[in-house]
Amino acid sequence: KAGVTQTPRYLIKTRGQQVTLSCSPISGHRSVSWYQQTPGQGLQFLFEYFSETQRNKGNFPGRFSGRQFSNSRSEMNVSTLELGDSALYLCASSDPTSGGGETQYFGPGTRLLVL
Amino acid sequence: DQQVKQNSPSLSVQEGRISILNCDYTNSMFDYFLWYKKYPAEGPTFLISISSIKDKNEDGRFTVFLNKSAKHLSLHIVPSQPGDSAVYFCAASHIGSSNTGKLIFGQGTTLQVKP
């Protein structure tokens, strides 16, 4: 199976702009989670979608939003970008119906630089 | 409040020897633990996981040990190879409607395996 893919891989934006990142999960995986990685805060959970519904949300401001489509592909949007939003944004997919613990498989990430 | 801690930022071992990476957690509700390997500017790669009902899980050169009473887990890599040089993250999750799709990560340990 193909792995998790994310587009674009790199992005440069200026303060105040908005950005949309895309994630295609592993085929058959219906859960998609998003994380932000920064040097200071490490890997922080943003939100999780399953069957087009947001089931869980981390402690991020409302400028961070997402959605999931019927084919399980997901997008996240950041509006009114701030310098502190510069980070590696990671998407992970999993199959919650597989039983046992939920192993998440990550994409390569999107590196966002806000100037 | 950091619920998952990796107290050693770095570890250096000789090729062929054992690498032991440690992780401590504070939340007794965690019931699934994972180890990921990460290279710079890439997404984490899943290595191995363990459920809280077990105390050991092996996969090739990788073994994870879980000590629930001490809230401690460790990853053993034997024998260590130069290609194992990367940042290793431990992560934890627990079942519950408010926790779906959410992994909590430690800060990572940089492993260097010297030839």
Side-chain angles (χ1 to χ4, degrees):
Chain A
K1 285 185 180 178
V4 178
T5 59
Q6 291 186 247
T7 57
R9 291 294 310 276
Y10 304 94
L11 209 47
I12 299 176
K13 293 285 188 179
T14 56
R15 279 181 299 174
Q17 288 187 310
Q18 74 164 11
V19 66
T20 299
L21 312 181
S22 181
C23 171
S24 292
I26 292 171
S27 177
H29 285 189
R30 294 165 61 192
S31 172
V32 174
S33 298
W34 287 89
Y35 294 85
Q36 180 196 65
Q37 185 185 25
T38 59
Q41 297 298 317
L43 278 149
Q44 301 282 313
F45 172 77
L46 281 157
F47 31 65
E48 185 254 2
Y49 286 86
F50 179 82
S51 291
E52 302 178 65
T53 301
Q54 185 183 90
R55 297 195 301 181
N56 200 0
K57 190 177 190 305
N59 188 26
F60 280 82
R63 301 185 296 107
F64 292 82
S65 62
R67 59 178 175 168
Q68 187 180 35
F69 303 95
S70 58
N71 61 358
S72 295
R73 190 177 69 86
S74 178
E75 289 181 346
M76 68 163 281
N77 183 275
V78 188
S79 62
T80 320
L81 284 166
E82 301 177 359
L83 295 179
D85 297 333
S86 295
L88 181 67
Y89 290 89
L90 293 158
C91 161
S93 76
S94 66
D95 177 10
T97 62
S98 63
E102 189 176 312
T103 297
Q104 295 185 12
Y105 298 89
F106 284 81
T110 295
R111 171 70 65 181
L112 172 64
L113 177 61
V114 182
L115 302 176
Chain B
D1 175 30
Q2 196 167 351
Q3 299 184 66
V4 178
K5 296 181 182 180
Q6 295 176 254
N7 292 315
S8 298
S10 63
L11 174 67
S12 181
V13 300
Q14 209 65 37
E15 180 180 5
R17 305 296 289 268
I18 183 173
S19 296
I20 300 176
L21 298 104
N22 295 301
C23 180
D24 297 298
Y25 61 95
T26 57
N27 190 336
S28 58
M29 297 297 291
F30 287 146
D31 55 12
Y32 192 61
F33 304 88
L34 311 93
W35 283 95
Y36 288 88
K37 172 182 177 181
K38 188 180 184 301
Y39 296 113
E42 293 185 11
T45 299
F46 170 70
L47 284 174
I48 192 169
S49 62
I50 187 167
S51 164
S52 61
I53 62 173
K54 295 185 175 181
D55 55 18
K56 177 182 174 182
N57 189 27
E58 286 182 83
D59 186 1
R61 297 186 298 115
F62 302 93
T63 302
V64 56
F65 295 92
L66 176 62
N67 182 333
K68 289 185 289 293
S69 60
K71 294 191 179 66
H72 177 83
L73 66 155
S74 60
L75 174 68
H76 292 209
I77 306 174
V78 184
S80 301
Q81 300 173 353
D84 295 330
S85 298
V87 180
Y88 288 77
F89 289 93
C90 68
S93 69
H94 61 99
I95 298 171
S97 59
S98 64
N99 300 303
T100 58
K102 179 179 181 179
L103 293 178
I104 298 174
F105 285 85
Q107 291 297 97
T109 296
T110 300
L111 172 65
Q112 182 185 30
V113 180
K114 297 179 179 179

